[in-house]
Amino acid sequence: ALGLGAAAPRALPRAGVSGAARAGSVSVAMAQVDRAKFAELLRALCSADNASRQRAETLYQQAKQDEPDSLMIGLLALLSAEDIEESVRRYAAVLLRQMCARGAAKDFVFSRVSEPHKVEVAAELLRRFEQETAPKLRRKIGEVVAKLAEHVCDKEDPRGSLAPGSASGWPTLLPLLFRMAANGNSPDAAEAALRLLGELVSTLPGDIVQAQAELGQILQAGISHESSKVKTASVLLVCRIVQETEQKAWAPLQSTTGILVQVMQQLAQAGEEDSLQECMQAFIEVASVEPEFFKRQLSQTMEPAKFMATIAKSRDNMPNGIRSLALEWLVSYLEKRAKWLTRHLHGYSQLVLEGCMEFLLEAGDGEEDLQTWATRMDDEEGDEDEDELLRTGEEAIDRVGEVLPIEELGPLLFPMIGRYAEQEKWQAKHAALTAVRQTVEYIEEGHIDEMAKLLLQHLQHPHPRVRHAALHALGQLANDQTPVFQESWHQSVMPAILKMTDDAVDKVASMALSAFVSFGEGLDTSLMAGYAQGFMEKLAAKLQSTQHRGIQEESITCIAVIAGNIGQDFGRYYDAIMPMLKQLVMTATGEKQSRLRGKAFECMSLLGIAVGKEKFLPDAHQAIDAIMKTPLDADDLQREYITEASQRICKCLKADFAPFLPHLLPNIYKSLKLDAEDTTAPKPGDEDDDDQYITVSTGDGKLVKVRSSKFEEVLQAVQLLQTYCLEMGSAFFDCVPQVAEHLLPLLDSTDEVSMLCDEARSAAFQCWASLIKCARLAATERQQPPQLAHQLLMTFLQKTCAAMAKDENAETLRDAADGLAECLKNVGTGVLKAEEVAQLVSQLFKFIDDSLKRTIEAEKEKQADKASAPQELQQDDDDDDDGEGDEESCRRSLEDAIGAVMKAAPQEFQQCLPECANRMTQWLNTKNYKTLALFLAADLLDHLKEQSESTWSVMMPGVFQGVADKDADVRIPAAYAVSLAAPLPKFAEVAPQAFREIAKHVSGPSPKKRDEQGKIAMDNCVSALLALAQHQAAACPADIPAWNLVVGKLPLRDDEDEAKKVHKTVVDLVLAQHGGLLGPDNANIGKVLSALAEVYKQENLVEKETDQKILQIFKMLPPENLRMLASGFSEKQQKKIEKMLSS
């Protein structure tokens, strides 16, 4: 017997169900069910009393296993029990949906129901769906039907069919829904049927669209129906068909676009906000998946763009959420079809930008709004609606700037910014400054001065939000246009920022400090020297006087920026600042002070790097001690700061970090473990569980359930280990075996889970490669054979190659290939045997072949999809194929792994040269694979040098064709190959042709700012021309001024690896007084010295050894000659030279 209230039942209520089940009649069994007792079971499952709920859960789970028929029939009976409260009946539907869902065998109850009952259960579900009148319950029953249809109507796996041998797995399903949808006398039934049809489109796309007569009839009737709910359901069904079916299937529905817009207009006029929101959301999803659906109507009437723009601008009579959806549709469509729109609909971009600017006006205007804004920290949550539209507009205009070329964006946006800035209302000025901040990333250098003037003009505006916006935009301008903005404007900007740090409104003063951080990070050390003293005095005073957390945090970051900029010169401030930071670490323990304390740790570590380990070592001990005392369950924000601080301290101390390892490593190892967590079993119907927990393999076949946030913890732990290994070098050797043991489960994990897990595994691959390098270096220092390095490599190959052979995911394959390449590059030579090389290279080529097959299959599917679609739906230049991009990146990484084999075993690789030639022949003859062939060529030249000459008959024609290619992605490896081949004697035969082809590009126009690949290709061409001029000078045609062309492009900035190589070569040639580089009568010496001064101490562009040689060059020059040459240099270059000479 069941108890009352919250008490849990002791046994599953049967009331004759089993007997009826044996009789084979679900309807009879349902009649005999004790509905009240079943309802009591469901109430107990939701009980707040743990004991009652747990007993009910145990009974429920046992019934799922032992009595599937009884359980399902009992729940079905509850659906029709009108004397039971609707909430319990809806809960019964939720449980039924779970039991009809394919997944874990223990939960898929329908699969264990007896065969005769399956058909009756399905029929009863349809009966209840048709007869139910409560809208919410009917919708829940529809969800059960949709979930069951996924199983019984699966054409790829017909084992679940309710009608074996029939064309449909559920023959009565669609006829019922079409009949209900056509029922003009029952709007509720029609709406429910139309919505359920929409849910079923993904399961039964062919069946639904092939019923053209029925589909056309219900759509026509639905869209013209009096009921707004039926109209809405019809719009949603059309949108779902477009999203889920092929173009040829939905092409006829293009003619309905205008009518669908009319429905939304009617909904807007009638104030049917919920229905309008649903329709607009569906339109956004269509725009993201099948933007061609709207092309015809846009071309004819500019709809739905005009309607969306009208809604977006309706400030007085539309809710914020609907206005945001309207702008979202406009921006989403622009992102998908920017090229087509700019060519064919010139007014579209204007429409979108006007909508964005309208949203930027939506800043709260009132004393209370201002007070709320001024007192809220940026890491504190405010009212969800507060400045909601402003934030939406900020994001939208940024997205517009990202997809529109500056030639299209500038003429439209700049006049708008000017008009808004000229208005008296502070909101208009705020909107103009915000638009600058959100789009300054995309402007060309010629626009910088105009933007800077506008921002500086508003720093003294009476309204604090305008001052704040101007400072925020200045910081963004500094981030996005570094170092050009800093070098041109530091004399105006730095004093202005210093003044603004004393603004009467703390939030504005805090933003001034933030602007300094952005400006200071890109300011050259030689220029920062003139401002460091004034800012340090100001910052020290603020740390001692203010209690405003934002100012404290930003002041600490400013100090860290100055320290990182001026390096050892910060020593004069160190003794005064470090005690303040220690005090903050000790006292900033409040609930809202996590970031403040984290920033203090961050600053301490950055000061250590700046002043060096000798001065920092005593404080490093205290910092690490404080880190170890921070609870392991510290919030994620503080954990991230602490992790990065630990990495920097290790970078500063190098081998002297070793004493800290015994205290730090145990907690890191604990973070690496994917142990099952103590999770309370979620109650049936709780659908949030999957958001918190993920089931993964620990590597030994064991499945555990862990929190999704655990992967971030694992990632940080792996990154810490890698930093320790890289920075400590051979001093980390004794820890290598234990670290490898703890990383091994991550190498073994092959389950398909979240991207966070993939990221952690990718980091583990790279960390493993660092362990190999550490083991090799230690063996060399100790004059021992690299046995551990070899063992680690073999373990990695065994684990990853086996996993890669089973994997078809391009991203995870790429990560594994990248890890494999790093391991091979770090292990050194003499480790791989000839047969191991042959086997590994063969595997890698096979993985590339598999990727090519996936690409070909995907292309076939795409071509088949559009083969019968109307011409207007053919894909255009806007299409981007992320899947193909992933595959291309995967193949590039696999090829890089082949190059790593060459580096590790150059002699043993000789046997693979014929296969490499064959591959290059195949790939060079296919347009999309040329880049892959050229990178293979470059690796052969790099690692095998003259031994690669047997492949040149295939390689070199492809290289020269690649250099002349219009595609920068092809030119990059082609030019790189030329730079590698130039030093080889045999290349003299083709060197004249190489000079001409390379010189064409170097002498051509410079790539535009946003042409990142074009700029990298240019750097590679300059590097190639330098190598040719240096090694093949005799072959240079008389009309090619190779050296002048090279000097004219110095310094290089975009391809940092090539930049370091070129600048090193230039420095060596200057020291050798190379006549070609310096030119007749040293005509080029000024340009060369200017370039060297520019890159001095820029570690991303020059190696430390090169810096030392640059210093040597400037100190060798006669002072009078240097003064004459430097008079034409930039202010920054002159100050850098002064600092060099005084060092």
Side-chain angles (χ1 to χ4, degrees), residues 60 64 71-72 75-76 79 89-103 107-111 121 125 137 139-151 196 199 683-688 690:
Y60 174 73
K64 283 165 63 176
L71 180 59
M72 184 159 275
L75 293 175
L76 277 172
L79 296 182
R89 296 163 67 196
R90 288 203 301 269
Y91 189 25
V94 169
L95 297 179
L96 281 168
R97 181 179 62 81
Q98 293 178 348
M99 291 192 289
C100 291
R102 290 184 293 192
D107 298 320
F108 188 18
V109 177
F110 182 82
S111 66
V121 166
L125 284 171
L137 178 54
R139 185 168 294 189
K140 288 293 181 185
I141 297 171
E143 292 173 3
V144 183
V145 172
K147 186 58 66 176
L148 181 57
E150 292 178 9
H151 171 58
L196 182 49
E199 290 185 52
K683 66 182 181 184
D686 185 353
E687 296 170 8
D688 295 330
D690 288 342

Side-chain angles (χ1 to χ4, degrees), residues 875-1072:
Q875 295 180 333
D876 55 33
D877 293 338
D878 280 295
D879 280 324
D880 54 355
D881 194 329
D882 293 337
E884 171 51 19
D886 290 341
E887 290 291 357
E888 188 174 350
S889 177
C890 171
R891 293 192 290 270
R892 176 67 191 93
S893 293
L894 289 166
E895 186 286 318
D896 186 48
I898 293 174
V901 178
M902 300 179 203
K903 179 178 181 180
Q907 294 301 322
E908 292 80 1
F909 192 87
Q910 293 292 312
Q911 61 187 311
C912 303
L913 287 178
E915 183 60 23
C916 289
N918 291 336
R919 297 292 175 150
M920 284 191 290
T921 301
Q922 296 170 22
W923 298 341
L924 286 169
N925 289 327
T926 305
K927 179 182 177 181
N928 293 338
Y929 309 150
K930 285 182 181 179
T931 301
L932 187 63
L934 292 170
F935 274 115
L936 178 58
D939 276 328
L940 289 167
L941 291 165
D942 189 16
H943 302 301
L944 303 187
K945 306 292 190 293
E946 289 90 349
Q947 293 178 339
S948 69
E949 290 177 4
S950 63
T951 66
W952 283 21
S953 60
V954 173
M955 178 195 301
M956 289 306 168
V959 167
F960 287 119
Q961 289 175 9
V963 169
D965 202 290
K966 294 181 179 180
D967 186 349
D969 287 329
V970 177
R971 291 200 305 277
I972 291 169
Y976 180 51
V978 170
S979 68
L980 294 169
L984 305 179
K986 186 176 176 60
F987 193 72
E989 300 171 12
V990 292
Q993 181 183 358
F995 270 108
R996 292 197 180 279
E997 294 294 344
I998 295 291
K1000 285 180 186 177
H1001 289 288
V1002 178
S1003 61
S1006 297
K1008 294 183 178 180
K1009 179 188 174 184
R1010 293 172 72 171
D1011 184 7
E1012 297 296 337
Q1013 292 302 95
K1015 291 189 289 186
I1016 292 173
M1018 177 62 79
D1019 279 5
N1020 276 269
C1021 285
V1022 173
S1023 178
L1025 190 57
L1026 174 60
L1028 287 167
Q1030 181 184 7
H1031 298 288
Q1032 301 289 348
C1036 182
D1039 57 335
I1040 302 293
W1043 286 109
N1044 288 344
L1045 289 173
V1046 169
V1047 170
K1049 291 294 183 181
L1050 296 177
L1052 305 190
R1053 298 182 182 277
D1054 297 293
D1055 187 326
E1056 295 182 357
D1057 289 336
E1058 289 306 296
K1060 290 176 181 178
K1061 185 170 73 173
V1062 165
H1063 298 148
K1064 178 182 185 305
T1065 300
V1066 168
V1067 166
D1068 289 340
L1069 292 175
V1070 170
L1071 287 172

